[in-house]
Amino acid sequence: MTETAGGGRDAEAVSKFVESFAAQLVEAGMQRMPARIFAALLSSDEGAMTSAELGEQLQISPAAVSGGVRYLAQTHMVSREREPGSRRERYVVHGDQWYEALTNREAVLKRWEGALRDGVTSLGENTPAGRRMAETLAFFEFIEGEVSAMMERWRVHRQQVFGD
Amino acid sequence: MTETAGGGRDAEAVSKFVESFAAQLVEAGMQRMPARIFAALLSSDEGAMTSAELGEQLQISPAAVSGGVRYLAQTHMVSREREPGSRRERYVVHGDQWYEALTNREAVLKRWEGALRDGVTSLGENTPAGRRMAETLAFFEFIEGEVSAMMERWRVHRQQVFGD
DNA sequence: CGCTTCATTCAGAAATTTGTGAAGTTAAGG
DNA sequence: CCTTAACTTCACAAATTTCTGAATGAAGCG
């Protein structure tokens, strides 16, 4: 058993999981550092770590932590907290907030819709290409509406299974 | 008006749209070449182009077309067709098939679920981290179920709005 | 069969991305 | 105020990715 100072957990097993989960995130399009940082936070007991802790576990420089965290904060996957009267920051995965962010690609959808609308105009509403474009646009609009309903159902489901 | 041999369409406007839509796809994590190729196909009247046509519109080498198309075919966004008795291949966006592929990230979800299951085991079911992991896993399982129902509703909706 | 036309593969050049060390900035605590 | 601890920014080196040209491989067509 590989127990270290980290609080009685099998550090090696944790690290292995962190890397393998990060790899999945990378494959899905996330940058490497944000992915690793996120995975580390997700598998910490508190769901929160300081910059120094992240640096040590992942063997990366403070600069890398800073960059990765900035990305995660911007995309609302993680939030920054700081105990009042200290300048040590804690980076926190807020329970369920993060996968809501993951699903709420609303900004992305909106941009796609914008681009598609331009497409319909550029190509002409009555060209075959224009009609295909319009249908695609309709698909995204449909999805956008469905997603929020779906998340609502999830909250109900979650409540039932996990309580609060 | 910038008309070229391309069949009476405003080539410049089309190209502009292709590039801007491709840029959105890139931002969402797709590689540049596949994104450009896909956008070009999507905005072609036939929904299909040959390698040579793609090469000319996008100003890229045959090798780049080949590589891009391979990716798109693997992910089922595009299919290859070839008129019998010709070795000129046509790459086709099959109407609605492609965004079904986009949504059907089932393989991706499955892998995430696998990784998360490992995580629950590594971290221990009764640790706080393990419980968080388990909840995340439940979320993905929930989503997986919902997505297929959602696509079914889309087909109905599409039928109503666009006919067949 | 051989010629020709496409498509693919591969090695390498070029461009981009990524992560680091070092300098810079801000704010707590004496 | 001055010191010091924490985070951030920036320039650059290294690694990776991306695209090309050239070589290779297949398949129609005469």
Side-chain angles (χ1 to χ4, degrees):
Chain A
M1 199 78 144
T2 319
E3 303 281 342
T4 62
R9 311 198 309 163
D10 182 335
E12 200 184 327
V14 171
S15 174
K16 216 160 157 187
F17 166 71
V18 166
E19 296 306 330
S20 94
F21 193 61
Q24 301 298 330
L25 294 172
V26 168
E27 203 155 339
M30 197 187 292
Q31 293 153 342
R32 184 175 307 276
M33 276 302 136
R36 297 181 69 208
I37 292 173
F38 183 72
L41 288 171
L42 199 63
S43 59
S44 69
D45 263 346
E46 301 286 327
M49 295 174 82
T50 64
S51 176
E53 289 166 341
L54 284 168
E56 189 190 355
Q57 164 154 15
L58 302 174
Q59 290 296 306
I60 58 179
S61 70
V65 174
S66 177
V69 161
R70 175 173 34 170
Y71 175 83
L72 292 169
Q74 274 171 356
T75 56
H76 304 286
M77 308 266 293
V78 157
S79 39
R80 300 155 178 274
E81 286 182 11
R82 115 191 289 166
E83 302 168 59
S86 159
R87 82 212 101 151
R88 173 176 283 143
E89 222 154 31
R90 286 162 50 88
Y91 307 115
V92 187
V93 227
H94 250 139
D96 50 354
Q97 165 190 324
W98 80 265
Y99 41 69
E100 305 232 2
L102 190 69
T103 322
N104 260 338
R105 313 291 293 176
E106 202 178 319
V108 174
L109 279 179
K110 285 292 185 200
R111 278 202 316 258
W112 286 33
E113 289 175 16
L116 286 167
R117 246 182 284 276
D118 290 353
V120 175
T121 306
S122 305
L123 300 170
E125 289 188 278
N126 297 315
T127 62
R131 278 191 290 274
R132 185 176 325 109
M133 215 85 272
E135 185 184 312
T136 303
L137 175 56
F139 173 71
F140 284 110
E141 287 169 341
F142 179 81
I143 291 298
E144 199 176 349
E146 290 281 306
V147 165
S148 56
M150 187 171 78
M151 290 308 289
E152 194 46 45
R153 286 193 294 278
W154 159 250
R155 282 182 214 103
V156 173
H157 179 71
R158 171 202 144 102
Q159 177 71 20
Q160 287 174 348
V161 178
F162 292 92
D164 183 69
Chain B
M1 198 80 140
T2 319
E3 302 282 340
T4 62
R9 310 198 308 165
D10 183 335
E12 200 185 328
V14 172
S15 173
K16 215 160 156 188
F17 166 70
V18 166
E19 297 305 330
S20 94
F21 192 61
Q24 302 297 331
L25 294 172
V26 168
E27 202 156 339
M30 198 187 293
Q31 293 152 342
R32 185 176 307 275
M33 275 302 134
R36 295 181 69 210
I37 292 172
F38 184 73
L41 288 171
L42 199 63
S43 58
S44 69
D45 263 348
E46 301 286 327
M49 296 173 83
T50 65
S51 177
E53 288 167 341
L54 284 167
E56 191 192 351
Q57 164 154 16
L58 303 174
Q59 289 297 306
I60 58 180
S61 70
V65 175
S66 178
V69 162
R70 177 174 32 174
Y71 174 84
L72 291 169
Q74 275 172 357
T75 55
H76 305 285
M77 307 265 293
V78 158
S79 40
R80 302 155 178 274
E81 286 183 11
R82 113 193 288 168
E83 302 168 60
S86 158
R87 87 216 94 153
R88 176 176 280 142
E89 224 154 31
R90 284 162 51 87
Y91 306 113
V92 187
V93 226
H94 249 139
D96 49 354
Q97 163 190 323
W98 80 265
Y99 42 68
E100 305 231 1
L102 191 68
T103 323
N104 261 337
R105 312 292 294 176
E106 201 179 319
V108 175
L109 279 179
K110 285 293 185 199
R111 279 204 314 258
W112 285 34
E113 288 175 17
L116 286 167
R117 246 182 284 277
D118 290 353
V120 175
T121 306
S122 305
L123 300 169
E125 289 187 278
N126 297 315
T127 62
R131 277 190 290 274
R132 184 175 329 108
M133 215 85 272
E135 185 183 312
T136 302
L137 175 56
F139 174 70
F140 284 110
E141 288 169 340
F142 178 81
I143 290 298
E144 200 175 349
E146 291 280 307
V147 166
S148 55
M150 187 170 77
M151 290 310 288
E152 194 45 45
R153 284 194 294 277
W154 159 249
R155 282 182 214 104
V156 173
H157 180 70
R158 171 202 144 101
Q159 176 71 20
Q160 287 174 348
V161 178
F162 293 91
D164 182 65

